[in-house]
Amino acid sequence: MRTRRERALGARTWRVPAGRVLTSCVAAGAALWGAAGMAAADSPTPASSASASDASGDGPTEAGTSFRTATAVKPGQRATADASTGDYLYWVVPVDQGQQATVRAKVTLPKAARRGTATWQLDVYDGLRRRQACRYGAQTRAAAQDASSVELSCTLRTVRGWAEPWANDPLPGSYYVRLTVVDLPQEDLGQPVHAEVRADTAEAGGAQAVDGSLAAPLVPGAGTATPQDEATPQDGASASPDRATALAEPDGGWSSGWWSDRWIWTAAGGLLAALAGIWGYSLTRGSGRPSRVPPGA
C-alpha cells in the first residue's frame, strides 16, 4: 500500500510536463514573433531606399516630355529638371508587387514678378497608362503670386500581383510621373522653373499579399529609354536596351510572387497550435492512475 506522501507525489507528476510545455509555447511564440519582426525589418523602407540610392549618386537632371521619352528613375533617387512653365515633365519609376509608392515633387518658382496664382498638378500612371488615384497627399496645389515654391505628393495604393480585367488596381511594372501646371495667367507661361521629383517605395507586408501574379510586369517594350537613349545613334549604332531595361526594373529584379511574410505567420500559427494541443493533452490525461483508488490499496 502506498503512503499518502507517495500518492501526493504521484498526483503531481503530470503538472511538471504541463508547465514545461506552456513555457515552450511562450518561448516558441516569442522566437517566431522576433523572426517575423526581423523579416519585416529587412523590408526596404523609404528611408533605407533613399540612403541606398543616394550613395550611388544623384538621379537624372532632365525630364521627358511624353510617355515615350519619360526619364527613368530608380526608387529613392532625386530627379531634377529645369523647364519652362507650361511644359509637361515625365519620369518613370519601377514599382513591384507588394510595394506602396509615394511620389513627391517640389517646384521652385521664378523670382520674376508673376501675374497671378498658378496651380500645379502631379499625376501618376501605371504601365497601361491608366491614371492611378492617390490614397492621400496633396496632388494639386495652388501657388500664390508671391510664393517661391510649391510641393506636391501622392501615395498610391499597394501594388497587387494580379487583378480582375475590370478592376483598376495598380499592377507591378513601370509607373509614369507627370508634373505640369494646369492653371495660371497666360502672361506667366514660359517662365523658368526648377522641378525636383522623388519616388520612394515601401513593402506593405503579407497583409496586402494576394495569391497569383502576372506573367510579366507591365513594362512597355524592352524597357523605358531615356531621351539620350532615344536620340538618333551615330555610325549606325543602336540605342542600348540593356541600360534602359536595367533602369526600368528594381535593383533586385522583379519579384517572383510566391514569397511573402504570410509564410512566417502561417508557420508560427501552426507551431503554436501544435504546442497548445500537446499542452492540452497533458492537462487532460492526468497521472495515468484511476481517479478513484479502492480502499486499502
Side-chain angles (χ1 to χ4, degrees):
M1 182 176 66
R2 300 175 64 182
T3 64
R4 181 179 300 176
R5 175 180 175 82
E6 292 173 342
R7 288 198 297 268
L9 290 174
R12 286 200 300 267
T13 55
W14 62 273
R15 297 179 184 175
V16 176
R20 290 178 179 174
V21 172
L22 179 59
T23 304
S24 301
C25 290
V26 174
L32 290 170
W33 187 276
M38 287 187 294
D42 291 338
S43 300
T45 60
S48 62
S49 299
S51 60
S53 61
D54 289 343
S56 62
D58 294 334
T61 57
E62 60 182 12
T65 56
S66 67
F67 286 102
R68 188 178 63 86
T69 61
T71 299
V73 183
K74 293 182 178 180
Q77 275 190 328
R78 184 176 66 93
T80 60
D82 292 318
S84 299
T85 305
D87 290 344
Y88 284 84
L89 307 179
Y90 287 82
W91 295 269
V92 59
V93 60
V95 184
D96 206 353
Q97 61 178 318
Q99 292 182 343
Q100 187 179 80
T102 299
V103 182
R104 297 179 177 88
K106 179 180 180 181
V107 181
T108 303
L109 302 173
K111 297 181 179 180
R114 301 193 303 274
R115 300 298 180 90
T117 300
T119 303
W120 289 80
Q121 184 167 306
L122 180 69
D123 297 311
V124 182
Y125 299 82
D126 64 5
L128 298 177
R129 299 187 183 179
R130 302 176 301 180
R131 184 174 181 271
Q132 292 295 319
C134 301
R135 293 184 60 189
Y136 48 84
Q139 187 178 5
T140 303
R141 272 188 173 174
Q145 183 176 356
D146 57 347
S148 60
S149 64
V150 59
E151 296 184 6
L152 307 100
S153 66
C154 174
T155 298
L156 300 176
R157 295 172 294 168
T158 302
V159 174
R160 294 169 57 86
W162 70 288
E164 298 293 340
W166 49 264
N168 193 35
D169 295 326
L171 297 172
S174 300
Y175 279 76
Y176 296 90
V177 179
R178 185 178 73 179
L179 177 65
T180 188
V181 63
V182 294
D183 184 30
L184 82 165
Q186 189 72 18
E187 295 81 359
D188 291 341
L189 284 173
Q191 292 188 353
V193 294
H194 179 75
E196 298 180 10
V197 169
R198 177 172 174 153
D200 294 317
T201 57
E203 296 292 338
Q208 300 292 334
V210 295
D211 296 326
S213 61
L214 297 178
L218 300 176
V219 180
T224 303
T226 61
Q228 298 94 323
D229 294 332
E230 293 186 345
T232 303
Q234 298 178 358
D235 300 331
S238 60
S240 171
D242 295 337
R243 177 173 179 269
T245 303
L247 290 175
E249 67 181 18
D251 290 335
W254 297 103
S255 174
S256 60
W258 68 271
W259 167 259
S260 73
D261 57 6
R262 289 193 303 174
W263 288 93
I264 298 177
W265 296 110
T266 301
L271 180 58
L272 290 177
L275 293 176
I278 297 174
W279 177 53
Y281 173 75
S282 66
L283 288 175
T284 56
R285 73 181 178 90
S287 61
R289 300 179 70 250
S291 58
R292 297 184 62 186
V293 180

